[in-house]
Amino acid sequence: MTYLIGLLSVVFLVLAIMIVSKSIALSKGIQGADDSDARVDGANNGNAFGFLVFLVLGSIAAAWSFLHSQPDFLPIAASEHGLKTDQMFWISMGIVTAAFFLTNTLLFVFAFLYRYKKNNVATFYPVNHKLEIIWTIIPAIVMAVLVFTGWRIWRDITKQAPENAVVIEVTGHQFGWYVRYAGNDDNKLGNQNYKLIDDTNQIGIDFTDESSFDDFTANELHLPKGVPVLLKIKAQDVLHSVYLPYQRVKMDAVPGMPTKFWFVANKSTDEMRAELGKSDFNYKLNCTEICGRGHFGMAITVFVDEPEDYKAWVAQQKPFLTQNPDYLAKVPEKLKGKAQKYVPAEAPAAESDSTQAAAGAAPATASLRR
């Protein structure tokens, strides 16, 4: 790319020198030189052919740049809406590119054909209403179709997620992601409260909500293929941005303002590995909002599983409450019966706050009696 830029710079410099030299010659001709007509014709011919050279070289450079940049284009789309947005993008690019080359070809060819010639007489052509209507209505119709089509795709992406969508919460923090799943029983995420955050409960799961009892967390993101997935996106500190390039998912994570994005992944990790010929390939979830010094490492592995494999993986996961039975003490007394099923039998039974208070007061009472 650097070589191409250097070459174009040299070409433009040569053209600029030619134009300046022709301008000097033209000024001398105007001042009364005998060969002024020849000099004027020479200058105009030089400029006219320069336009054609620029058109050809510019078109070649544009085509080369496009082909050379293809490895850096977005990767293969691996979601249903991604296929639609990619199709819309390339249709728009095709229309815009065709209009670009058409208008610029006319611009440079007309400059060549209608350059100054001594015996040419210009035609006075002030207005043509029919022509103006044509070049106004056609672009307006094309633009309206593109806008309407794009709006329909965006409407489908941003509408409410289907009722059978798998609900997953992704919370950004400096510098990583917390992933919480809705569990095996109710497919509902429990409430969350930042005031409940501690060294273990790092996302502030609220155990006064019984929907939290079966929630579990993981260090990786698992998605079922062909099933709607609703990502509930949050941030704990600064702006982050959830980005799944293959699934064409991008949504900001904003502190204090939950966002969401639902989609359907249509290619499993194994299928993508086979298509790319890379046995070690994995999808990634990255942060695309510069959020601090550790931003570059803010990524987690994403697995797109077949539906039955996803169910098997979820079934193997233990709820947060099962792995941390001490949090049973945070459960209201009236819900402890429901929460108890998630606590291992060998774990000590959690005591209510009133029982703990009474137990704490008993030794003090005994010491006073003594």
Side-chain angles (χ1 to χ4, degrees):
M1 191 63 186
T2 304
Y3 173 78
L4 176 63
I5 294 173
L7 178 62
L8 290 176
S9 300
V10 172
V11 171
F12 291 146
L13 179 62
V14 171
L15 291 175
I17 293 173
M18 290 175 59
I19 291 172
V20 170
S21 63
K22 295 296 183 181
S23 299
I24 294 173
L26 179 61
S27 65
K28 289 182 178 178
I30 293 174
Q31 292 174 0
D34 294 337
D35 57 345
S36 60
D37 289 340
R39 291 180 181 275
V40 170
D41 288 341
N44 279 283
N45 289 334
N47 289 335
F49 281 102
F51 276 123
L52 291 183
V53 171
F54 183 86
L55 173 64
V56 173
L57 292 180
S59 300
I60 293 173
W64 176 88
S65 177
F66 176 84
L67 297 174
H68 182 73
S69 302
Q70 279 187 321
D72 299 320
F73 290 174
L74 281 173
I76 301 169
S79 66
E80 291 183 359
H81 79 271
L83 296 174
K84 296 178 182 178
T85 55
D86 280 14
Q87 182 184 43
M88 182 67 193
F89 173 80
W90 286 114
I91 290 174
S92 300
M93 281 294 295
I95 293 173
V96 171
T97 302
F100 172 82
F101 278 105
L102 175 63
T103 55
N104 281 277
T105 298
L106 291 175
L107 173 67
F108 289 113
V109 170
F110 274 39
F112 173 79
L113 293 177
Y114 299 104
R115 65 189 182 277
Y116 169 78
K117 294 177 183 178
K118 182 177 180 181
N119 297 322
N120 277 6
V121 178
T123 301
F124 184 65
Y125 197 74
V127 66
N128 186 320
H129 295 298
K130 183 182 293 185
L131 191 60
E132 290 182 2
I133 290 173
I134 291 173
W135 70 38
T136 300
I137 290 180
I138 291 179
I141 293 174
V142 173
M143 180 64 69
V145 171
L146 290 177
V147 170
F148 179 71
T149 306
W151 171 78
R152 287 184 59 191
I153 294 174
W154 183 243
R155 178 202 62 189
D156 293 341
I157 292 172
T158 56
K159 68 183 180 183
Q160 290 295 321
E163 292 184 1
N164 66 330
V166 174
V167 183
I168 303 174
E169 180 184 80
V170 179
T171 302
H173 66 96
Q174 293 178 310
F175 295 97
W177 301 98
Y178 297 128
V179 183
R180 180 166 63 123
Y181 295 79
N184 290 288
D185 296 340
D186 57 9
N187 196 33
K188 292 181 181 179
L189 282 172
N191 292 334
Q192 175 244 17
N193 189 333
Y194 73 93
K195 295 180 180 179
L196 301 176
I197 292 175
D198 57 34
D199 291 340
T200 304
N201 187 7
Q202 295 177 321
I203 52 179
I205 301 175
D206 184 1
F207 290 103
T208 64
D209 179 8
E210 60 181 290
S211 296
S212 300
F213 297 165
D214 65 337
D215 292 356
F216 65 89
T217 59
N219 295 322
E220 55 198 26
L221 182 62
H222 280 256
L223 307 171
K225 174 190 169 184
V227 178
V229 174
L230 172 61
L231 294 184
K232 292 190 172 183
I233 302 168
K234 298 180 179 180
Q236 287 188 343
D237 35 43
V238 298
L239 280 175
H240 300 283
S241 188
V242 170
Y243 182 47
L244 296 164
Y246 285 87
Q247 284 73 33
R248 302 296 192 267
V249 172
K250 187 180 186 301
M251 180 61 69
D252 284 351
V254 185
M257 191 181 77
T259 55
K260 61 183 178 180
F261 199 112
W262 80 271
F263 62 100
V264 179
N266 63 359
K267 286 189 179 181
S268 69
T269 299
D270 290 338
E271 288 173 336
M272 187 59 75
R273 286 173 179 173
E275 186 167 345
L276 297 176
K278 297 179 180 178
S279 59
D280 59 345
F281 168 83
N282 281 314
Y283 294 116
K284 291 290 184 181
L285 186 156
N286 302 97
C287 177
T288 53
E289 192 78 40
I290 298 177
C291 54
R293 295 179 65 182
H295 163 73
F296 66 93
M298 196 168 164
I300 59 173
T301 302
V302 179
F303 296 96
V304 177
D305 305 319
E306 295 294 339
E308 57 274 12
D309 294 333
Y310 175 80
K311 290 179 181 178
W313 177 82
V314 170
Q316 295 172 0
Q317 308 308 306
K318 295 180 179 179
F320 181 89
L321 196 56
T322 303
Q323 300 183 67
N324 302 277
D326 291 345
Y327 283 87
L328 188 60
K330 306 286 187 182
V331 177
E333 198 65 36
K334 62 181 180 180
L335 296 177
K336 271 193 168 62
K338 294 182 179 180
Q340 194 69 48
K341 63 177 280 192
Y342 298 101
V343 178
E346 64 274 11
E351 299 173 317
S352 65
D353 293 340
S354 59
T355 304
Q356 292 176 13
T365 306
S367 64
L368 286 173
R369 287 175 181 173
R370 286 195 295 268

